């Protein structure tokens, strides 16, 4: 898909359409750098990517990469949960736009592509102070639950 407003093209990777090892490393590095304080360690990002691509035992998922002349401008990683109804079918694990390209509509384009491609409901986690929260709410995401975790 090509967005003529900002000349960004997107690629969707999944278990059938796999990225090269260099593309995978580029995705991991991009997310690690551009998620900033909302990100995770590279090895955790790689686990989510491998899960989405079914390179580890999983229900799979997909990855959307927005590029401009071969440079990554945005990435989404979605993992399928294998559940439906009581737990959403998909969890949007990571979404990031290049820190120098924010405000150009890339996040909006990534959300629209993700929502169109995903089958079933989508959950995501967002910190209350993350400015991207407004974008998610614009697309109909709500916050019906308080998440609690037991860390071990």
């Amino acid at each position: 898909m090509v967005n003529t407003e900002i000349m960004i093209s997107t690629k969707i990777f999944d278990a059938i359409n796999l990225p090269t090892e260099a593309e995978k490393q580029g995705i991991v590095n991009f997310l690690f750098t551009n998620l900033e304080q909302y990100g995770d360690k590279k090895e955790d990002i790689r686990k989510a990517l491998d899960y989405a691509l079914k390179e580890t035992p999983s229900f799979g998922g997909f990855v959307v990469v927005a590029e401009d002349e071969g440079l990554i401008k945005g990435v989404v990683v979605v993992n399928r949960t294998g559940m439906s109804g009581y737990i959403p079918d998909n969890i949007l694990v990571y979404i990031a736009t290049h820190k120098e390209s924010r405000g150009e509509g890339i996040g909006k384009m990534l959300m629209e592509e993700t929502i169109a491609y995903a089958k079933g409901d989508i959950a995501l986690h967002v910190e209350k102070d993350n400015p991207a929260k407004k974008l998610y709410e614009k697309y109909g995401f709500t916050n019906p639950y308080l998440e609690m975790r037991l860390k071990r």
Side-chain angles (χ1 to χ4, degrees), residues 85-86 88 122-126 133 137 140-147:
Y86 60 100
I122 305 170
L124 61 81
H125 293 131
V126 61
K133 184 175 179 258
E137 290 169 340
F141 285 87
T142 61
N143 185 19
Y145 304 107
L146 172 65
E147 178 178 307

Side-chain angles (χ1 to χ4, degrees), residues 19-86:
T20 66
E21 187 57 39
E23 288 171 317
K24 289 179 210 170
Q25 199 56 49
I27 291 166
V28 169
N29 290 338
F30 176 87
L31 288 169
F32 180 77
T33 300
N34 291 282
L35 285 167
E36 298 176 313
Q37 74 266 30
Y38 304 108
D40 293 319
K41 298 179 289 187
K42 285 185 180 183
E43 50 268 22
D44 291 336
I45 295 169
R46 180 62 189 245
K47 286 178 195 174
L49 182 62
D50 288 346
Y51 185 105
L53 301 172
K54 291 187 87 168
E55 296 200 331
T56 58
S58 71
F59 292 102
F62 62 94
V63 179
V64 182
V65 178
E67 293 183 338
D68 181 19
E69 297 182 10
L71 298 173
I72 297 176
K73 293 293 186 170
V75 173
V76 176
V77 177
V78 175
N79 290 168
R80 290 193 182 100
T81 66
M83 297 173 257
S84 184
Y86 60 100

